[in-house]
Amino acid sequence: MLAQAGIGSRRSCEDLIRDGRVRVDGEIAELGMKVDPLKNKILVDGEGITLPRKQTYVLLYKPKGYISTVRDPQGRPKVTDLVPLSGVRLFPVGRLDYQTSGLLLLTDDGELANMLTHPRYGVWKTYHALVQGKPSPTVLQQMREGLPLSDGKTAQAKVRFLGMQSSDKGLLEISLREGKKRQVRRMCDCIGHPVHELERKSVAFLNLEGLSPGEYRFLTPKEVQRLKKISKRKDTISQQRS
Ligand code: URA
């Protein structure tokens, strides 16, 4: 428990106890003794310890027809309805439109959510957009370099044409490091190829593998750690892709 509180490694915490530097309710602690941090007062070298609150991280495969806000005045189905966890108040990390499907993270960790959505940290998000017609190499290059939207020019993007899905609809893979409102749809409108279907395939190194629409899983502690590391670095591209 001392290690969880960030006091040191497991071994060094054991040393602290052996050295008599830890007190529980005023008494010198012993190795192996049962302690409840909510009931017992624990001091290390006379200072109280703070245990980190356990936080929840969920990866949801959002289906179409769900709103990714916590409240909706129109009473439409909400993504949080799909993750009914008692005692946890999750909120979505960023937004996906009502009619967009794909990867959406939900958490109660405001700090990580902020870092993942702030353009400064430049986390890559990859979308598959089924668009009207076949965009030419010229317009795809314009998308990569930046398009003049009403709220400013878009930042550099990665764009690949994945092929025609029917006689009149093509599939694009678009990776963005920013998140303007309805950005993919507006970019595709801007080049004259409106979106029919939109799905977010990945956020950083996370993808939808093993999930069907409406299903969710918890992030592993390793994944959470890796996300936190990405968020703390400015130059994040190689980490996210590896
Ligand atoms: N871009 C869009 O247009 N919609 C989304 O939901 C996400 C990105």
Side-chain angles (χ1 to χ4, degrees):
M1 193 225 319
L2 291 176
Q4 269 174 6
I7 303 295
S9 67
R10 220 184 151 79
R11 188 166 295 171
S12 65
C13 290
E14 286 177 2
D15 287 343
L16 286 174
I17 296 171
R18 273 196 206 96
D19 294 345
R21 293 165 61 187
V22 182
R23 284 182 179 263
V24 177
D25 297 336
E27 301 292 322
I28 292 186
E30 283 170 24
L31 274 177
M33 97 190 257
K34 293 255 174 295
V35 175
D36 179 346
L38 294 178
K39 290 188 191 141
N40 303 116
K41 187 171 176 196
I42 304 160
L43 301 178
V44 176
D45 289 337
E47 299 231 359
I49 63 162
T50 322
L51 273 181
R53 206 167 58 82
K54 210 162 164 37
Q55 284 166 314
T56 306
Y57 304 88
V58 164
L59 189 164
L60 170 72
Y61 190 154
K62 176 193 175 299
K64 286 196 292 184
Y66 280 78
I67 192 107
S68 52
T69 50
V70 180
R71 261 171 249 101
D72 181 40
Q74 293 173 53
R76 290 173 291 182
K78 303 184 290 285
V79 288
T80 45
D81 299 339
L82 296 165
V83 191
L85 301 176
S86 63
V88 188
R89 285 163 71 103
L90 294 179
F91 52 86
V93 178
R95 301 254 169 102
L96 286 181
D97 302 333
Y98 186 60
Q99 288 299 15
T100 299
S101 58
L103 196 160
L104 185 66
L105 294 173
L106 295 109
T107 184
D108 53 357
D109 180 346
E111 200 180 339
L112 186 68
N114 245 342
M115 289 197 276
L116 287 174
T117 46
H118 199 294
R120 181 169 140 218
Y121 300 97
V123 173
W124 284 104
K125 284 145 267 183
T126 297
Y127 300 85
H128 279 186
L130 185 67
V131 299
Q132 182 62 39
K134 181 177 182 187
S136 68
T138 309
V139 296
L140 294 183
Q141 190 55 27
Q142 286 167 359
M143 282 183 112
R144 289 183 193 110
E145 289 169 8
L147 294 172
L149 299 186
S150 56
D151 49 355
K153 191 178 167 189
T154 57
Q156 284 189 351
K158 296 179 188 175
V159 183
R160 286 200 302 151
F161 177 63
L162 299 180
M164 295 303 284
Q165 301 298 292
S166 63
S167 58
D168 65 343
K169 292 187 187 83
L171 189 61
L172 292 181
E173 182 176 82
I174 301 168
S175 300
L176 306 176
R177 301 183 80 184
E178 56 183 350
K180 293 178 189 290
K181 201 166 178 210
R182 305 186 76 251
Q183 183 163 344
V184 173
R185 291 176 196 274
R186 290 193 295 142
M187 286 171 77
C188 293
D189 283 344
C190 182
I191 58 160
H193 294 274
V195 168
H196 287 283
E197 301 274 343
L198 184 60
E199 182 157 285
R200 181 151 73 190
K201 294 292 186 184
S202 65
V203 173
F205 58 88
L206 297 167
N207 59 41
L208 292 166
E209 220 174 278
L211 294 178
S212 302
E215 290 182 344
Y216 69 89
R217 69 171 177 87
F218 294 100
L219 295 189
T220 65
K222 267 206 179 126
E223 287 171 331
V224 174
Q225 220 176 27
R226 210 168 149 197
L227 278 181
K228 287 184 177 172
K229 240 193 210 161
I230 287 176
S231 307
K232 286 198 177 109
R233 289 185 49 164
K234 270 205 164 164
D235 175 23
T236 58
I237 300 168
S238 55
Q239 269 203 51
Q240 291 177 48
R241 288 286 151 128
S242 61

